[in-house]
């Protein structure tokens, strides 16, 4: 893998300019993200969507929040990529991944809070 590969829970994501979601014709995971000075990423919103091009744009409910937090990337993993969680090479290296989701997305329900605490891993696993 390249040095700038983005890996979240063993799944590789491609990085796009944050306005390029309109070009992604397919289902999958996407994240509004900020590339940090150390090369790591801060995930500001993370979602499984059908037709990413219809969802990951300026009219998304979390777009304004993400922009206010410095969003400069859209991370995408297409559902048809045939990659499953944990299938990246064992020696694959990724820069740090941090989470700063919108406070309204942090829920009080214990089961949902446990899901949020896993850093979105359950969402990725649901694609398997």
């Amino acid at each position: 893998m390249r040095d700038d590969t983005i890996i979240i829970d063993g799944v590789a994501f491609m990085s796009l300019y944050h306005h390029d979601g309109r070009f992604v014709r397919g289902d999958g995971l996407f994240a509004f993200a900020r590339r940090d000075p150390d090369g790591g990423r801060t995930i500001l919103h993370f979602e499984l969507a059908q037709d990413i091009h219809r969802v990951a744009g300026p009219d998304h409910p979390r777009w304004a929040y993400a922009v206010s937090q410095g969003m400069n990337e859209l991370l995408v993993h297409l559902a048809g990529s045939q990659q499953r969680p944990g299938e990246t090479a064992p020696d694959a290296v990724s820069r740090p991944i941090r989470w700063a989701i919108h406070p309204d997305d942090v829920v009080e329900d214990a089961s949902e809070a446990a899901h949020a605490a896993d850093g979105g891993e359950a969402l990725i696993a649901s694609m398997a």
Side-chain angles (χ1 to χ4, degrees):
M1 298 211 152
R2 297 185 342 223
D3 186 45
D4 62 345
T5 299
I6 301 125
I7 301 172
I8 302 173
D9 192 34
V11 174
F13 283 72
M14 66 178 141
S15 171
L16 303 171
Y17 177 63
H18 68 284
H19 282 286
D20 286 347
R22 65 187 182 272
F23 299 116
V24 182
R25 306 279 190 221
D27 307 340
L29 291 167
F30 74 89
F32 295 151
R34 176 183 67 230
R35 184 173 186 157
D36 298 321
D38 67 355
R41 269 59 177 202
T42 298
I43 307 302
L44 306 166
H45 179 75
F46 194 72
E47 185 173 330
L48 176 63
Q50 293 182 349
D51 298 322
I52 291 172
H53 73 284
R54 294 177 188 236
V55 179
D59 58 342
H60 190 282
R62 293 293 176 242
W63 183 270
Y65 166 76
V67 168
S68 75
Q69 298 299 308
M71 174 177 61
N72 53 15
E73 287 186 317
L74 177 68
L75 305 180
V76 175
H77 175 81
L78 294 174
S81 72
Q82 298 187 16
Q83 183 185 6
R84 300 286 183 243
E87 286 189 357
T88 53
D91 60 343
V93 177
S94 178
R95 300 285 180 146
I97 300 294
R98 301 167 190 96
W99 296 85
I101 60 173
H102 191 278
D104 289 348
D105 290 339
V106 178
V107 294
E108 295 301 320
D109 178 71
S111 63
E112 291 185 40
H115 168 67
D118 75 9
E121 294 167 6
L123 185 58
I124 292 172
S126 71
M127 289 184 60

